Amino acid sequence: MNEDTPIRRQLFSIPNLMGYFRIILIPFIVWRYVTAETINDYYAAAVIIGISGITDFLDGFVARKFHMITKVGKALDPIADKLTQGAIVLALSFRFRWMIPLIILFIVKEGFMAIMGIVMLRRGKMLDGAKWFGKVCTAVLYVVMFILILFPQIPMGAANGMIALCGVLMLFSFVSYIPVFWKMAHDS
């Protein structure tokens, strides 16, 4: 299977089915966290996020290992990632008020990435995967979100420090992508 495989077959490839599964998990993550009353409820939310993360790793691994990389998968994977991240950040904002500025920055950054991705696609160009700064930002964001969910009794100062770190890395990633898109737009 490859990018030239008919869309119908691409839709139901194993890696893409894992991507759909990750999207289906989103409401369960949010519901379990927002309605949590006991430590076990928070642990359950963390387990669901862990399952989502493992599935995220596996879909990419399977796609590469078994030559199942598809156009659908290239679009689906980042969509599943961003929906999951956005939903978790939103859920955490119910408990940690400093998540609200992070939500705004997340929306601005991802909105910019989506708009520029569409503009470049219309010009026949495509970003060749996430850059290192985007990967670092995403990894730290996931670790922080996981810690904040797994340890609901974390001191607010520590939580705010981790949220601030995410904000700084997200801003750095956002600013670092601007010249990448600028170069893409001006290369022939």
Side-chain angles (χ1 to χ4, degrees), residues 56-141:
D56 183 22
F57 167 77
L58 286 176
D59 71 7
F61 175 78
V62 169
R64 286 185 297 277
K65 178 82 172 167
F66 298 101
H67 308 288
M68 300 174 100
I69 296 171
T70 64
K71 288 180 183 176
V72 172
K74 284 183 176 183
L76 178 64
D77 188 60
I79 289 170
D81 287 344
K82 298 313 169 190
L83 288 174
T84 301
Q85 292 167 15
I88 296 170
V89 168
L90 181 63
L92 286 167
S93 73
F94 284 87
R95 182 159 166 41
F96 303 100
R97 66 183 172 108
W98 285 106
M99 277 291 181
I100 294 169
L102 196 65
I103 290 170
I104 295 166
L105 182 56
F106 180 83
I107 291 169
V108 169
K109 176 189 175 273
E110 296 309 327
F112 168 79
M113 296 294 290
I115 290 167
M116 291 309 297
I118 291 167
V119 168
M120 290 300 118
L121 205 53
R122 286 187 173 180
R123 294 182 180 184
K125 299 176 181 182
M126 191 173 184
L127 189 63
D128 188 28
K131 302 298 180 194
W132 71 267
F133 39 84
K135 290 180 180 183
V136 168
C137 175
T138 298
V140 171
L141 181 62

Side-chain angles (χ1 to χ4, degrees), residues 32-52:
R32 183 67 287 168
Y33 180 78
V34 172
T35 63
E37 294 180 1
T38 69
I39 195 77
N40 287 335
D41 294 339
Y42 289 108
Y43 290 164
V47 166
I48 299 168
I49 292 170
I51 292 167
S52 178

